Amino acid sequence: MIMLISRSGRQNQRYENGRRLIAGCIPYRFKADQSNHDKCVQSLEVLVVKSQKSDRVLFPKGGWEKDETVEDAARREAMEEAGVEGLVETQLGIWTFNSKGSKGGERVAHVFPLKVTNLQDHWPEKEFRERRWVSVEDARKRCKHPWMSKALDQLIMRERERHGMAFN
């Protein structure tokens, strides 16, 4: 059996002007919506994970380390926190926020869409985090961080432009 563990420690973390650099992603997929009996419509779903410290839901994110690209860091965080693999697409944006965690301080988050291709049954943080597919509407209601909501809005806008349709 392979032991799955998350990276830990701060010695390899990237910083810029005293701010910790974060990489994250919004895992997503399209699901056929059969509720409209006239035609099959695709609905956009995103994967959220439960915070380790509260009942809040988040998109996978974490420290960007010196030995990886920002895309690799986003991919790693998706696997560690949510047990998903997929295609990292063009960055949605960069957001600055203040962390309320024990270390506090300002963070700079680079956020990417991750089109999910594989869900693992076991992942490093499975014992600590629940993952759940939710509608865009549900994600917007449950996401407590304004910068994550803005990243979600960017993903929705990009997918509307790409597919020429609205998503719930």
Side-chain angles (χ1 to χ4, degrees):
M1 178 181 207
I2 296 173
M3 183 63 141
L4 300 172
I5 58 171
S6 296
R7 285 187 169 197
S8 62
R10 297 278 190 253
Q11 66 274 15
N12 289 323
Q13 294 293 299
R14 290 182 188 246
Y15 289 84
E16 183 179 84
N17 300 323
R19 301 179 304 180
R20 186 166 169 226
L21 301 181
I22 301 293
C25 64
I26 302 177
Y28 77 95
R29 70 180 181 188
F30 291 99
K31 184 177 178 186
D33 181 358
Q34 302 292 339
S35 62
N36 183 341
H37 299 295
D38 295 336
K39 58 184 176 181
C40 181
V41 178
Q42 295 285 315
S43 63
L44 179 65
E45 292 185 313
V46 294
L47 189 72
V48 294
V49 294
K50 186 178 168 214
S51 168
Q52 287 185 345
K53 298 174 184 170
S54 72
D55 285 334
R56 289 184 178 189
V57 296
L58 313 162
F59 297 117
K61 62 157 182 53
W64 172 15
E65 298 191 359
K66 294 175 185 175
D67 64 344
E68 60 191 355
T69 66
V70 68
E71 293 87 357
D72 287 342
R75 199 175 287 111
R76 176 180 50 77
E77 289 296 335
M79 176 52 72
E80 288 179 359
E81 294 187 1
V84 294
E85 297 173 299
L87 305 171
V88 174
E89 298 174 340
T90 305
Q91 185 169 278
L92 294 167
I94 301 170
W95 287 271
T96 301
F97 67 98
N98 286 309
S99 174
K100 294 179 182 173
S102 61
K103 299 278 184 197
E106 198 169 62
R107 308 280 195 259
V108 177
H110 297 254
V111 183
F112 298 84
L114 180 109
K115 187 171 185 178
V116 174
T117 58
N118 192 23
L119 253 64
Q120 297 292 326
D121 292 330
H122 303 284
W123 64 93
E125 297 184 18
K126 182 178 182 175
E127 302 292 319
F128 313 111
R129 296 187 189 272
E130 282 180 40
R131 67 181 180 196
R132 177 177 295 154
W133 287 105
V134 298
S135 68
V136 168
E137 181 180 308
D138 192 29
R140 188 176 278 119
K141 286 178 193 172
R142 298 179 66 193
C143 188
K144 302 298 181 194
H145 299 293
W147 69 273
M148 286 188 181
S149 293
K150 289 176 184 174
L152 178 61
D153 289 342
Q154 287 297 316
L155 174 63
I156 294 164
M157 187 169 38
R158 184 178 291 177
E159 291 304 316
R160 273 188 190 139
E161 289 172 5
R162 185 183 296 176
H163 298 286
M165 62 176 88
F167 302 105
N168 294 335

